[in-house]
Amino acid sequence: MIKTDILIIGAGPTGLFAVFEAGLLQLKCHLIDALPQPGGQLAELYPKKPIFDIPGYPEVLAGDLVNNLMEQIKQFQPGFTLGETAETIEKLEDDSFVVTTNKGTKHQAKAIAIAGGLGTFEPRKPLIENIAGYEEKGVEYFVKDPELFRDKRIVIAGGGDSALDWSIFLSNVASEVTLVHRRNEFRGALDSVEKVQELKKLGKINLITPAEVVAIAGNGHVEQLTLDINGEMQTIDTDFFIPLFGLTPKLGAIANWGLEIEKNAIKVNNALDYQTNIPGIYAIGDVNTYPGKLKLILCGFHEATLMCQSVYQRLNPGKKYVLKYTTVSGVDGFDGSRKEAEKAVVKSID
């Protein structure tokens, strides 16, 4: 059983920043996310795309924002359960909650913050008749551990940043990398497109366009793929097939927790603390809805801040918290570290 003060479901930017605000209040956090790494959409869908509306950053790459958030919360030592989804919830007699994931991992917390962005991200799967039978038997929708592909033949399908970036990365891991895309043009960062072009010339990436994987064959594991190349069928031998066609957001099992749902979002009390209709369960960021809601990262940061203040009062009834600016109070990490402004020097002037 993993025990914490606040269990955050969703490790996107709002969930990550909530760790910082909770840490200022000396509250511990643990995060659950279906993706194999923190960052949510920013890390998975567009890590190299710039964001222009983060206060203090005229321009910041999505991936860099995630890295900065991870650095900011490091001293508060959050725990992570990655590659798993929150499935069931149980309320105990002491008003704490137990959340169990699809892999059986149990978490107990005094408060829950649902920060799932647009919901649980499920991979968009190609329309191949027997693909389900090969999932985790050579068909992988995420690259969780690159070492799985060490010295193996792999075929990646897709035309966005993920397909380009993983083709580049795995060209130094796999024995053979083939990138398949249904168009000749790619939608991705220019430097990634140019890098794939360079690796193609060096013979480190096989590029097949315009083409589409239409069939999978193998005895208990992927062994062969059939490609439709301009109407002509061609088979290629491979050990792994990695289709990277993006993600589809869904509320998932959270929709069955008895929360008030409106248009696939969780209704909250925005007049106070973004609490749901179940006391002790909050929803922050893009996953919630209320009058005037804006699905912006900076709004999620604001919601996370007020949520943490409410949780503090819930966990410390009757105890008054005196808000101090970090320039005055400094920041004390759970790892014993301390950040503070440089003290003023008391010295007379001759």
Side-chain angles (χ1 to χ4, degrees):
M1 181 82 74
I2 296 169
K3 295 186 177 182
T4 189
D5 294 320
I6 306 177
L7 179 64
I8 301 173
I9 300 173
T14 296
L16 294 177
F17 187 68
V19 175
F20 178 79
E21 289 297 322
L24 293 180
L25 300 167
Q26 296 296 294
L27 300 176
K28 288 281 289 182
C29 293
H30 190 93
L31 301 94
I32 300 174
D33 201 288
L35 296 175
Q37 74 284 317
Q41 295 182 69
L42 275 65
E44 185 66 25
L45 297 183
Y46 50 93
K48 292 189 176 182
K49 289 189 177 178
I51 302 173
F52 301 102
D53 61 352
I54 303 299
Y57 287 94
E59 178 181 337
V60 60
L61 295 181
D64 289 345
L65 178 59
V66 171
N67 292 338
N68 290 343
L69 287 165
M70 290 295 289
E71 180 64 28
Q72 187 176 29
I73 66 175
K74 184 170 65 175
Q75 66 186 131
F76 294 125
Q77 300 178 314
F80 289 92
T81 299
L82 299 174
E84 301 184 29
T85 57
E87 285 283 324
T88 63
I89 186 169
E90 176 189 2
K91 192 167 187 178
L92 304 182
E93 290 184 2
D94 65 355
D95 277 345
S96 67
F97 301 90
V98 172
V99 172
T100 305
T101 70
N102 61 322
K103 295 187 178 178
T105 309
K106 292 184 179 294
H107 310 74
Q108 184 177 354
K110 300 166 187 174
I112 294 174
I114 302 172
L118 297 172
T120 299
F121 288 108
E122 298 181 3
R124 289 195 178 97
K125 302 179 181 182
L127 298 175
I128 299 173
E129 186 177 351
N130 61 341
I131 192 168
Y134 288 101
E135 289 173 357
E136 297 187 358
K137 298 175 184 176
V139 172
E140 302 287 338
Y141 299 109
F142 300 106
V143 180
K144 297 178 183 178
D145 179 11
E147 285 301 310
L148 178 66
F149 311 106
R150 174 70 63 182
D151 299 325
K152 303 292 185 181
R153 299 166 299 176
I154 66 171
V155 173
I156 295 175
D161 283 314
S162 291
L164 292 165
D165 291 345
W166 281 120
S167 295
I168 294 167
F169 184 89
L170 293 174
S171 67
N172 292 316
V173 175
S175 62
E176 182 180 293
V177 175
T178 300
L179 176 58
V180 177
H181 184 39
R182 60 182 178 173
R183 298 187 181 92
N184 291 319
E185 301 80 20
F186 287 84
R187 273 188 180 275
L190 181 59
D191 62 331
S192 296
V193 176
E194 291 175 344
K195 183 66 176 176
V196 167
Q197 179 71 34
E198 178 186 339
L199 290 171
K200 177 194 171 186
K201 290 179 181 177
L202 294 172
K204 297 195 71 174
I205 291 179
N206 303 319
L207 186 61
I208 305 177
T209 62
E212 198 169 352
V213 177
V214 295
I216 306 173
N219 185 16
H221 195 279
V222 172
E223 295 175 359
Q224 196 174 72
L225 301 177
T226 300
L227 275 56
D228 181 344
I229 307 173
N230 282 328
E232 293 186 11
M233 300 300 162
Q234 178 181 321
T235 59
I236 59 173
D237 295 331
T238 190
D239 301 304
F240 287 95
F241 174 42
I242 311 172
L244 299 174
F245 297 145
L247 304 169
T248 301
K250 292 183 180 179
L251 268 183
I254 292 172
N256 303 318
W257 286 6
L259 301 167
E260 195 173 350
I261 306 295
E262 183 179 285
K263 295 181 180 178
N264 207 41
I266 302 170
K267 289 186 71 173
V268 295
N269 174 11
N270 69 306
L272 186 61
D273 54 10
Y274 304 97
Q275 199 159 187
T276 69
N277 59 303
I278 300 178
I281 301 181
Y282 302 76
I284 54 176
D286 288 357
V287 77
N288 74 16
T289 186
Y290 53 83
K293 169 69 180 181
L294 293 176
K295 293 180 185 269
L296 297 173
I297 294 173
L298 60 92
C299 294
F301 290 166
H302 164 77
E303 294 164 11
T305 304
L306 296 189
M307 177 275 295
C308 289
Q309 294 286 328
S310 177
V311 172
Y312 179 85
Q313 293 301 326
R314 176 180 172 82
L315 272 54
N316 301 279
K319 186 175 181 180
K320 187 175 181 181
Y321 171 73
V322 180
L323 176 67
K324 292 182 180 179
Y325 303 120
T326 53
T327 50
V328 176
S329 65
V331 179
D332 291 304
F334 298 152
D335 57 0
S337 64
R338 176 167 175 78
K339 295 178 181 177
E340 60 182 333
E342 191 174 327
K343 293 286 190 294
V345 176
V346 179
K347 189 177 188 298
S348 60
I349 298 176
D350 297 329

